[in-house]
Structures are given as C-alpha cells and as structure tokens.
Amino acid sequence: MNAFEAANHYISKASRIMNLGPRVERLLLSLEAEHHVTIPIERDSGELAVFSGYRFQHNSARGPTKGGLRFHPTVDADEVRALATLMTWKTAVVNVPFGGAKGGITCDPSELSQGELERVTRKFVERISQEIGPQRDIPAPDVNTNAQVMAWIMDQYSRQHGFAPGVVTGKPVELHGSEGREAATGYGVICVAENFLHDSGKCLKDATVAIQGFGNVGLFAALFAKEHGAKVVAVSDVSGGVANRDGLDVSALAELARSRRSLAEYESDGASPITNEALLTCEADVLIPAALGGVLTPEVAREVRAKVIVEAANAPTFPEADEIFEQRGITVIPDILANAGGVTVSYFEWTQNLQCLRWTEREVNSRLQQIMTDAYGTIRGLVQSRKLGWRTAAYIVALGRVAKAAMLRGV
Ligand code: GLU
C-alpha cells in the first residue's frame, strides 16, 4: 500500500461506517488539482540545477486550501497527494475554515547554500503564484522549512500580487507571523496527551515519554512535556538519539538543537545513545513519533512497549501496524487530531493578517488550548459512545463535516 492508498484506506473505512455511499466517497477521494512544476536555479558554482516542485490541492469545500511545504529528497507526487488529503481531514477535525493542500520540493536542503535555498523557494513561488493566495491556497512550514522560507514566499508572492501577508503562515513574528506559531504543534500534541492520560486516570506528571524527531515539533513537544512534569526518557534526530531512564535534560538538548548541532554530540552522565529504531520500542508510557511518516511498520508495532502513541508526525503508522496496535490494546491518537495545533495557529495567523491586528501569545495559546480540547472531546465522545478506535472516530467527524459542506455547495 503506498502513502496515498494508506490515507484513503481510513476514508473508505469511515465512509462505510457512515453509509456515505460510493458517490460521496468518490468525491472525497479525488484531488481538485495537482500542480507539478520544474524549478531551475543557478547554483553558486554557476551550474544549472533543476528541481521538482509540487503543490497539490485536495478539497476546498470548507474554505481555501491549507497545508505545509516540505523540502526533502524523498518528496514525490504520491507522498504530496497523501499529505494534501490528510490536511483536509485535519482542518475539519479542529473545525478551522480551510480545506487541505500540501506542497514540496524534492531536494536536500542540507546540500544547498542559503542563497540557493532562497532561489529555489522564490522560483517555486513564481511558478505556482496563480495557484496560491490568501483566499485560494495558503502554504506553511513543514519538514525542513521554517519562518525564513515563509518570509521569502510572502515577499515573492507580494512582488507579483501586491502586499499579501495572508498568502502564507508560519512567518517570522517580525514579519506578520503570529506569536505562538512555532511552538503550536508541540503544544497541541502535549495538550492531547495530557487530556488522554487524565481520562485514563493517569497524569502526565507521572508519565515517561519517548520522542522520535527533534525538529520544530519534537523539540517543543519535549519542552512542554517536561514543563508539565513528564519524564522525557528518549529523544532522537536524524543523527540518532539519547536515552536516560531517569529523564533527560531537555533544556540542554534544546540548546544543542538551537545551535544547529546534532543530538549525537550530546554527552551527559546517565545518558546513553539510542538508535531511531530502538527509540520506537523503548520502555516509555507515551511514544511520540515526531519525524517522518511510515516509521511504525507492522514489525515495529509488535515490539512497541508504550501504552499510547500520539502521532505528532504526519502518517507515521502503516494501516497494518494500526491494526496490530488495536489488537494489542495500544491507543493511537491520530495525526489529524494530535498534530492539528500547527494549522490551528496558522488559522489564527491568517485571521490576524486579514484583519491587520495582533494577538498576544497568551491569547493565542488559550484559544489553541480551547480548540484542541474541544476537538479531543468531540472525538472521545464518539470513541466512547460507538466503541470505535480514535482514528476511525476522527475520520468520521472530519468526513461528516467535509461531506456536508460539499453537499451544501453542490458538486
Ligand atoms: N505542516 C503542518 C501540518 O502538517 C502545518 C500546516 C499549516 O499550518 O498549514 O499540519
């Protein structure tokens, strides 16, 4: 099953339970548009390089399409298609007025200079500038893209269309970005984990947590987990990871990551190295995959020791692994709920941009917490009343909202 088929597997499952019928199911499975462009740039050496760029829009029934832009060597049409689809369900789960889209450039940003990265970004925006816009499709950060990349996108788009900060979210706070956006996904992940543990008669304060991935999402998830009293026992980045059963010094690790050094360089008494694979099956109450998709394979699923998995990454679990978790009584809080904090604060940023006003960090965080808690509560209600898994329940909520909007607007 490829990534897109895996994403659609859950839609078909929920659609059957809801009796939506083949007509609606077909509508929800197809993408509205797939823009595939080539991006030629001049390297610093004077050589010409040509990259592949994608911006796919899945469904706009509930509003302009929304979703991140990733720069990674494995980006291809199938992955972008799957991730665009996920964004439609994610925005519907948290009930923000957007549809779903995703974009990406097949490249390894670690092999590009800052100047080359800027040229790739600007050329990409030039190529898709008719397809995006504040009322059309709004990109945001994702794997290997950050506030600086978003600033270039805003600037390039504005050169062609006039000043338009609402064309992209996740911008620097100094350039019409929102307070709290950078931390939002990690904050939402921990908010959901805490609610779940509380409902199970437990508490984050007594829990051990393992986090795979120490980019923007994993780093903030670790910081918030620690702040809420949890013991972070293992973290990793692409270079590998570190573990300590007595709890890691998360602030020191965050410092290391912020100075662009890898976790492999971390040394401290009591901490031992751990591979990315071993981290997934280490002894911890809560497992947070916060790196790339497809890491929880059926083989790994049989060995996982955590009691709950909170999907901070997009699509980390294979459908076959999902079934194994269900059989083993391990709860999986799905990506479309667990990591929706990012797009929720993107919605706040867009709202502030359209109204030309600014919210404080406190205002952003309290609204974020409210939305995450409400979405969690709605899905938990369905899990309990209909004895469903969390992912199926989340898809039922999302599909219901999107199908209703699509029907009201007309095919
Ligand atoms: N890339 C993030 C995600 O997958 C954020 C998307 C957004 O803010 O639009 O949810």
Side-chain angles (χ1 to χ4, degrees):
M1 213 184 278
N2 66 29
F4 185 53
E5 284 164 354
N8 287 345
H9 165 84
Y10 300 119
I11 299 165
S12 301
K13 186 172 169 187
S15 155
R16 274 197 305 276
I17 296 175
M18 297 165 81
N19 274 325
L20 284 183
R23 195 180 135 93
V24 178
E25 190 177 323
R26 186 144 179 229
L27 189 74
L28 299 181
L29 289 177
S30 43
L31 276 87
E32 288 178 7
E34 301 191 355
H35 307 289
H36 182 187
V37 297
T38 52
I39 310 166
I41 64 146
E42 201 164 284
R43 300 290 301 246
D44 293 344
S45 62
E47 249 176 277
L48 185 89
V50 183
F51 299 94
S52 267
Y54 306 85
R55 186 70 191 172
F56 288 5
Q57 295 143 351
H58 172 248
N59 187 290
S60 62
R62 299 181 65 258
T65 49
K66 184 87 191 81
L69 182 65
R70 66 171 56 179
F71 290 176
H72 197 272
T74 62
V75 165
D76 62 15
D78 180 60
E79 182 185 79
V80 178
R81 213 170 271 137
L83 295 170
T85 310
L86 272 185
M87 286 308 301
T88 300
W89 315 123
K90 194 186 299 186
T91 49
V93 160
V94 280
N95 214 357
V96 295
F98 293 128
K102 200 79 172 194
I105 297 177
T106 317
C107 68
D108 183 351
S110 69
E111 286 176 2
L112 297 175
S113 69
Q114 188 76 348
E116 289 170 337
L117 204 59
E118 177 172 351
R119 293 200 285 283
V120 170
T121 306
R122 288 188 184 277
K123 182 55 98 181
F124 178 62
V125 175
E126 201 184 293
R127 291 279 205 244
I128 59 158
S129 95
Q130 297 304 323
E131 322 302 340
I132 58 173
Q135 305 296 344
R136 194 180 177 95
D137 178 21
I138 305 135
D142 199 79
V143 175
N144 291 338
T145 52
N146 56 21
Q148 174 62 75
V149 174
M150 301 307 121
W152 292 327
I153 294 177
M154 185 202 109
D155 182 67
Q156 189 63 36
Y157 182 86
S158 296
R159 284 182 196 193
Q160 289 167 267
H161 299 266
F163 182 65
V167 68
V168 63
T169 58
K171 299 178 293 294
V173 190
E174 301 79 6
L175 194 72
H176 302 272
S178 177
E179 297 288 349
R181 174 61 186 85
E182 211 190 352
T185 312
Y187 187 91
V189 165
I190 297 306
C191 177
V192 167
E194 188 160 42
N195 275 310
F196 177 80
L197 289 171
H198 182 262
D199 288 341
S200 328
K202 298 189 196 101
C203 173
L204 201 54
K205 205 150 55 55
D206 305 317
T208 52
V209 180
I211 304 174
Q212 188 194 51
F214 214 57
N216 186 40
V217 179
L219 187 146
F220 280 103
L223 287 170
F224 287 119
K226 181 81 191 286
E227 200 178 296
H228 285 73
K231 211 185 270 179
V232 179
V233 292
V235 296
S236 65
D237 62 15
V238 277
S239 72
V242 281
N244 186 345
R245 295 182 82 163
D246 297 323
L248 291 160
D249 181 350
V250 176
S251 313
L253 290 163
E255 204 52 50
L256 202 72
R258 284 194 175 118
S259 56
R260 294 180 183 282
R261 286 161 60 205
S262 68
L263 294 182
E265 293 177 49
Y266 181 71
E267 274 173 32
S268 114
D269 289 346
S272 48
I274 187 167
T275 63
N276 264 296
E277 297 72 41
L279 182 140
L280 296 171
T281 55
C282 77
E283 184 80 54
D285 300 315
V286 184
L287 173 64
I288 303 182
L292 291 175
V295 292
L296 294 168
T297 58
E299 296 71 38
V300 174
R302 287 187 198 96
E303 306 296 326
V304 165
R305 283 188 273 175
K307 294 164 199 80
V308 55
I309 298 167
V310 186
E311 293 185 337
N314 286 315
T317 311
F318 279 93
E320 299 86 342
D322 217 41
E323 279 167 27
I324 296 172
F325 288 134
E326 200 174 326
Q327 286 153 15
R328 295 189 57 213
I330 297 172
T331 304
V332 183
I333 310 279
D335 44 9
I336 56 171
L337 168 64
N339 73 29
V343 75
T344 300
V345 177
S346 275
Y347 162 55
F348 298 160
E349 182 171 327
W350 179 76
T351 304
Q352 292 169 74
N353 291 159
L354 296 191
Q355 298 180 77
C356 303
L357 48 78
R358 299 190 73 86
W359 299 358
T360 63
E361 191 176 354
R362 234 172 107 186
E363 212 171 339
V364 167
N365 286 344
S366 99
R367 286 181 196 248
L368 170 60
Q369 194 176 16
Q370 188 63 52
I371 288 189
M372 292 306 293
T373 304
D374 287 351
Y376 171 87
T378 303
I379 292 162
R380 182 196 51 199
L382 214 54
V383 167
Q384 289 174 344
S385 65
R386 299 193 46 190
K387 303 274 171 281
L388 296 167
W390 282 78
R391 196 185 308 275
T392 307
Y395 271 93
I396 288 178
V397 169
L399 254 71
R401 287 179 179 155
V402 177
K404 183 88 200 204
M407 291 305 113
L408 286 168
R409 289 180 73 158
V411 174

